[in-house]
Amino acid sequence: MIYESRDVAATRPRLLPWSNLDGNPCYLVTDDTGTGRLSRLADEIEAVQLGMADDLLGHAVDLLGDTRATAPQLRYLAACLAEALHDVHRIARSRGARLPVPPGDEEDLDAVPEGGPGS
């Protein structure tokens, strides 16, 4: 008898919070509980990225409230916010892709998520 796991979230590739040298996304395929060394490292990096984004939001509020802020300061802030938003978006896509699939939605599993392999 062949047993097929219905826990597809555990077998789907995890989008990691870093890119390869060419800027392409990196994925981790694991069949364990997500407690492996690389999974823990990815969790730690995600926590750092989320913390930095939160700190940056506080700085942005302060800088935008300062009438003496210069155009170069605001451009730099915008660039930092865009980078932080990219990181947070990647984390959200990664975590969303690992959520369990509700019963009856299995037909959507064949769809490749945005930013997934081949895009």
Side-chain angles (χ1 to χ4, degrees):
M1 177 172 158
I2 298 175
Y3 175 74
E4 266 188 53
S5 173
R6 297 303 295 165
D7 187 10
V8 180
T11 60
R12 277 198 232 156
R14 174 183 179 171
L15 176 62
L16 295 172
W18 57 79
S19 300
N20 67 14
L21 294 176
D22 296 327
N24 295 319
C26 294
Y27 294 90
L28 174 64
V29 177
T30 181
D31 59 357
D32 63 10
T33 60
T35 58
R37 187 176 189 184
L38 200 52
S39 291
R40 288 192 318 269
L41 176 63
D43 291 341
E44 291 170 12
I45 290 174
E46 286 178 353
V48 168
Q49 289 174 326
L50 291 171
M52 290 173 57
D54 188 48
D55 292 344
L56 183 59
L57 282 175
H59 178 66
V61 168
D62 293 341
L63 187 61
L64 292 171
D66 185 355
T67 58
R68 297 170 294 149
T70 65
Q73 288 174 317
L74 294 173
R75 278 194 298 276
Y76 181 71
L77 174 64
C80 292
L81 286 170
E83 184 177 347
L85 182 58
H86 171 78
D87 292 342
V88 170
H89 183 249
R90 178 186 290 242
I91 292 167
R93 283 190 355 244
S94 176
R95 291 182 180 183
R98 289 181 279 142
L99 290 174
V101 178
D105 286 350
E106 289 86 9
E107 64 272 359
D108 293 338
L109 295 178
D110 295 329
V112 176
E114 177 185 339
S119 43

